[in-house]
Every structure is written in C-alpha cells, then in structure tokens.
C-alpha cells in the first residue's frame, strides 16, 4: 500500500462534480480522508472560481494505473481534452505518491503546485500537517507557515455523504487567506 494525496477541483457545477468525483474515488481506493473545501479564483486559465480539496488514501495501484484511473474518472464526469475553455468539470491531480520524487510514468512528483498554490497547500496542510514533502526538510505545515503568495482562498461549506467537510470554526473565520501565515488566524 502506498499513501497518496490527490488534489481535486471543479469550476463547473462544482458541488455536483466534486461529489461524483469523491464517490468514484471511494469506489477506486476505499476509505478516503478529506480536507476542508476551499474556493479560489482560477489560476492558469480564464474561468470561474474553483472549489478545491485534498484527498488522502492508501492505494494498491501502481502509479501509471492510478493516473489512468483518475483520467477515466475525470472523463466520466465530463472532462474532455477538448473541453470548453475555462470550464473544468473535474480535475484530479496526484500531489504525492508515497515518497516518490521526479518524473515517473509521465507524472512529476511531488506536484509543483503544492508549493505554488494556496488552494493546494492550505488543504494539504490541514489534512497532513506532519507529512514531509519528498525532497524537502520541511513538513507540509512548515511550507504553509512560510507561504507568501498572493492568491485568495476561502473556506466554503461542503458536505459529502452527510458529513460536513469544512469545520464551522474555519467557516466563521470566513476571510480569504492572502499573503499571511496561517498562524495569524487564517488557518
């Protein structure tokens, strides 16, 4: 078994596609651990705001098989290579696959977006604060504490199978995290 972390996002019928994606991931991987859900502006594309979260699971699949299965889940949720510009029904990225580093079977690990995007790093830090980023001496929480990007990220209420994923305390804070360390009240 390999511990994996996946970034999951949608900016089209967000709630519907995230729930469908989580259902499919649960069928593929078994029990899931889920971060809170965050809203953020689109990065790298012109499009509407995304909902994002991070999923952790223990995986029996080899990396290439996992990547192919994730692409099939995206396609089943309406994602196509020739999708309408700026509209992403479901995006699932492998962030971490055990301690693998470098390019393996077409997947670059750890995924560079971990340290670049608050909508990946904040939920990952909440889900797996003590995990050390492969190739780094810092934990995920340490990376988040040092993050100084300019992206705005908001916690949003979201439930799956009757379980609220975003804690009420986080929702009450309600302010986007922008250029501040989580210790300052953002996380």
């Amino acid at each position: 078994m390999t511990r994996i972390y996946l970034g999951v996002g949608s900016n089209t019928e967000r709630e519907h596609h995230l729930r469908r994606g989580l259902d499919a991931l649960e069928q593929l991987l078994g029990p899931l651990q889920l971060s809170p859900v965050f809203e953020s502006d689109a990065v790298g594309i012109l499009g509407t705001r995304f909902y994002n979260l991070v999923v952790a699971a223990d995986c029996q699949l080899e990396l290439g098989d996992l990547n192919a299965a994730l692409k099939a889940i995206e396609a089943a949720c309406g994602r196509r290579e020739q999708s309408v510009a700026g509209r992403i029904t479901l995006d699932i990225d492998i962030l971490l696959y055990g301690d693998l580093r470098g390019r393996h079977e077409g997947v670059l690990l750890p995924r560079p977006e971990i340290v670049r995007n608050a909508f990946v790093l904040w939920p990952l830090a909440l889900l797996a604060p003590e995990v050390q980023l492969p190739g780094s001496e810092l934990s995920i929480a340490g990376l988040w504490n040092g993050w100084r990007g300019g992206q705005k990220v908001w916690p949003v209420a979201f439930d799956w199978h009757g379980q609220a994923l975003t804690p009420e305390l986080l929702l009450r804070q309600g302010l986007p995290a922008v250029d501040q360390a989580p210790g300052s009240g953002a996380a």
Side-chain angles (χ1 to χ4, degrees), residues 1-185:
M1 293 289 249
T2 302
R3 187 67 168 174
I4 63 167
Y5 294 89
L6 308 172
V8 182
S10 174
N11 77 341
T12 303
E13 298 179 49
R14 302 176 298 189
E15 296 89 351
H16 170 76
H17 287 110
L18 283 186
R19 287 187 183 102
R20 270 188 78 188
L22 292 173
D23 288 343
L25 287 171
E26 185 179 49
Q27 285 185 327
L28 176 69
L29 300 168
L32 306 175
Q33 293 172 325
L34 307 171
S35 76
V37 177
F38 292 88
E39 184 174 21
S40 67
D41 290 328
V43 172
I45 64 168
L46 293 175
T48 58
R49 288 185 175 157
F50 275 79
Y51 276 6
N52 294 285
L53 75 152
V54 172
V55 173
D58 292 317
C59 181
Q60 295 182 22
L61 297 171
E62 296 295 322
L63 179 60
D65 294 334
L66 173 63
N67 195 41
L70 298 178
K71 297 302 174 203
I73 290 170
E74 289 177 343
C77 288
R79 176 117 189 227
R80 305 285 184 262
E81 291 300 320
Q82 302 299 324
S83 293
V84 176
R87 296 179 55 88
I88 307 292
T89 55
L90 188 66
D91 183 41
I92 307 172
D93 296 318
I94 302 169
L95 304 175
L96 299 170
Y97 184 89
D99 292 329
L100 276 183
R101 292 175 51 199
R103 186 167 299 280
H104 301 272
E105 301 193 45
V107 179
L108 182 58
L109 296 167
R111 190 160 179 98
E113 286 83 354
I114 292 172
V115 296
R116 285 198 298 246
N117 294 321
F119 60 83
V120 176
L121 187 54
W122 192 5
L124 184 58
L126 291 171
L127 185 62
E130 301 303 320
V131 168
Q132 189 170 342
L133 188 70
S136 170
E137 294 182 16
L138 291 174
S139 68
I140 300 297
L143 289 168
W144 175 240
N145 283 328
W147 190 82
R148 296 290 181 263
Q151 298 166 348
K152 295 180 181 179
V153 180
W154 300 265
V156 293
F158 190 89
D159 67 88
W160 179 60
H161 291 232
Q163 174 190 356
L165 299 186
T166 308
E168 194 61 39
L169 178 62
L170 193 59
L171 291 170
R172 279 198 301 264
Q173 290 175 348
L175 299 173
V178 183
D179 291 333
Q180 60 184 355
S184 66

